[in-house]
Amino acid sequence: MTANRFLQRIQLSGYLLPAGLTGALWLKGLHPGLPGWSCPLRALTGVPCPTCYLTRATAASLTGNLDGALQLHAFGPVVAGALLAWSVFSIRQRRLLPRGIPAWPLGSFAVGLLAYWLMRIVVNIGDMAAPAWLHFPLLS
């Protein structure tokens, strides 16, 4: 099977993937003891990456714990909403990547995520007084 044909099959049959991912994160929010992956950048360098704590924040958002989600990562509720929308559009159109969704929100999200990460790094390295959503939780 060629790579192009494989990608076409995934595009046509993988439309349940977003809903499966959303469901897995919802379960992770209900049962935090479920296994997961740790951040490889943080494990190697000790520096949290831009998405550190985002999985936990998204899982908390999907279970309705917005306060806890915002303490972990400010983008958690945004990602949870995007996952829910992606799931609905994918199921309705029966496509992994739905048609009609503009690409600019992804670029804006990436720029915002990097800016948020840099603010968190500056606040935590400088040991500055700042709102809780700018501090990295659980750093040891």
Side-chain angles (χ1 to χ4, degrees):
M1 181 183 312
T2 65
N4 191 25
R5 185 174 171 161
F6 175 74
L7 291 175
Q8 286 175 342
R9 291 182 88 186
I10 292 291
Q11 176 68 5
L12 294 176
S13 63
Y15 66 93
L16 293 175
L17 183 65
L21 177 61
T22 304
L25 285 172
W26 175 73
L27 279 175
K28 179 78 172 155
L30 292 176
H31 305 285
L34 290 174
W37 292 280
S38 62
C39 176
L41 180 69
R42 184 169 168 212
L44 289 172
T45 65
V47 177
C49 74
T51 61
C52 271
Y53 305 103
L54 186 56
T55 302
R56 292 180 213 171
T58 304
S61 296
L62 288 170
T63 59
N65 182 6
L66 294 180
D67 186 45
L70 290 173
Q71 289 178 4
L72 292 168
H73 200 289
F75 280 62
V78 175
V79 172
L83 277 174
L84 288 170
W86 182 26
S87 299
V88 169
F89 283 123
S90 291
I91 290 171
R92 290 176 111 188
Q93 294 183 16
R94 293 186 171 261
R95 295 177 49 88
L96 177 61
L97 300 173
R99 291 185 176 109
I101 296 178
W104 67 265
L106 188 58
S108 300
F109 177 82
V111 169
L113 184 66
L114 287 174
Y116 174 64
W117 176 64
L118 288 173
M119 284 191 308
R120 288 178 100 180
I121 293 288
V122 168
V123 164
N124 285 282
I125 288 176
D127 202 26
M128 305 165 100
W133 57 272
L134 278 176
H135 287 282
F136 286 110
L138 312 172
L139 284 180
S140 55

